[in-house]
Amino acid sequence: SGKITIGDFVHIAAYSALFGGSEGIELKDFSGLSSRCVIYASSDDYSGNSLTNHTIPDKYTNVTNQKVILEKHVIIGTGSSIMPGVIIGEGSAIGSMSLVNKSVQPWGIYIGIPCKKVKDRSKTLLDIEKEFIKSLKG
């Protein structure tokens, strides 16, 4: 739902959900979501200082609306959740069942709840991308 932009060669597996809201979600080229991933560009305030859910008029709620961006070559493992305002840096991989509640740097492998960097990710895929693009041009 909401504003969603999808680049080229993007894969979104079954049962994933994208809630773009007013600020939107951007999935850049070669990014991908495994099954049952959820991306939220908007979220209710769970503090108890406002009412929640879409049946309540806006003046009684405190909804966060922030764009979510998956940069080029990002891969998200099955069952992961991405919260509003997160930017996942180019080439990063998010392990299965992870919660991404803060932006992550490029070319890392992140896992956990909340996710933490466990190591760097190889950039070899950039050479493979060049070969692939060249093959498309004949």
Side-chain angles (χ1 to χ4, degrees):
S1 63
K3 184 177 172 183
I4 298 170
T5 304
I6 300 174
D8 294 327
F9 306 105
V10 172
H11 175 73
I12 302 170
Y15 305 108
S16 290
L18 287 75
F19 300 97
S22 62
E23 297 302 310
I25 296 169
E26 186 174 355
L27 305 176
K28 294 193 177 179
D29 297 349
F30 299 100
S31 61
L33 301 175
S34 296
S35 61
R36 301 184 189 280
C37 291
V38 183
I39 301 177
Y40 299 97
S42 64
S43 180
D44 282 310
D45 176 355
Y46 287 75
S47 69
N49 293 319
S50 61
L51 295 175
T52 62
N53 82 51
H54 292 292
T55 66
I56 306 298
D58 289 347
K59 80 179 209 175
Y60 301 105
T61 66
N62 184 27
V63 176
T64 297
N65 291 292
Q66 295 178 308
K67 187 172 187 171
V68 174
I69 301 172
L70 274 59
E71 296 287 356
K72 196 172 178 181
H73 295 295
V74 165
I75 185 167
I76 309 296
T78 188
S80 294
S81 297
I82 302 169
M83 301 307 290
V86 165
I87 298 171
I88 300 181
E90 179 178 355
S92 284
I94 306 299
S96 296
M97 306 298 290
S98 292
L99 171 65
V100 188
N101 59 358
K102 294 182 179 162
S103 294
V104 301
Q105 296 299 309
W107 299 104
I109 298 173
Y110 297 83
I111 61 171
I113 301 173
C115 71
K116 293 181 183 169
K117 185 176 181 180
V118 292
K119 66 183 199 175
D120 291 331
R121 187 172 183 216
S122 172
K123 294 182 182 178
T124 301
L125 62 87
L126 295 175
D127 293 329
I128 299 167
E129 175 195 358
K130 287 177 188 171
E131 181 182 331
F132 171 67
I133 297 299
K134 187 177 175 182
S135 76
L136 295 176
K137 295 177 181 176

